[in-house]
Amino acid sequence: LGARPVRLAVDDEEAGAGSRCVGAPIFDQSGNVAAAISVSGPITRIDRGKLLQISKSVREGAQLISRNLGYAMELSRIATVSS
């Protein structure tokens, strides 16, 4: 198996001075991006020390919603590799 894609985006004051955002895609049962989830806030509240934990929470939330929509990346990867 190859390296898993990061599937996480970080906006570090690019959209606006003093703001930071972390987002992740939500996949449907076909593996298409159906939506996204993100957390935004001022850099004083989403400092670099909290960025790792917030990123992890956003990614886990996106994975949970994706699974609830029928997305099963791990199973499709195993089937492809085994074939």
Side-chain angles (χ1 to χ4, degrees):
L1 296 175
R4 295 183 77 189
V6 174
R7 296 190 176 157
L8 190 72
V10 177
D11 177 346
D12 197 6
E13 295 190 84
E14 294 162 14
S19 66
R20 190 168 281 143
C21 178
V22 178
I26 295 171
F27 298 94
D28 65 15
Q29 71 279 1
S30 301
N32 297 315
V33 175
I37 186 172
S38 67
V39 171
S40 300
I43 60 172
T44 55
R45 298 195 70 192
I46 303 178
D47 61 25
R48 294 198 183 273
K50 293 179 185 170
L51 189 59
L52 184 61
Q53 179 57 43
I54 292 170
S55 298
K56 181 180 178 198
S57 296
V58 168
R59 188 178 63 249
E60 288 173 353
Q63 290 172 344
L64 177 62
I65 296 168
S66 295
R67 278 195 302 273
N68 287 335
L69 290 177
Y71 181 64
M73 182 187 128
E74 291 79 16
L75 294 177
S76 61
R77 280 188 141 198
I78 291 169
T80 302
V81 171
S82 299
S83 301

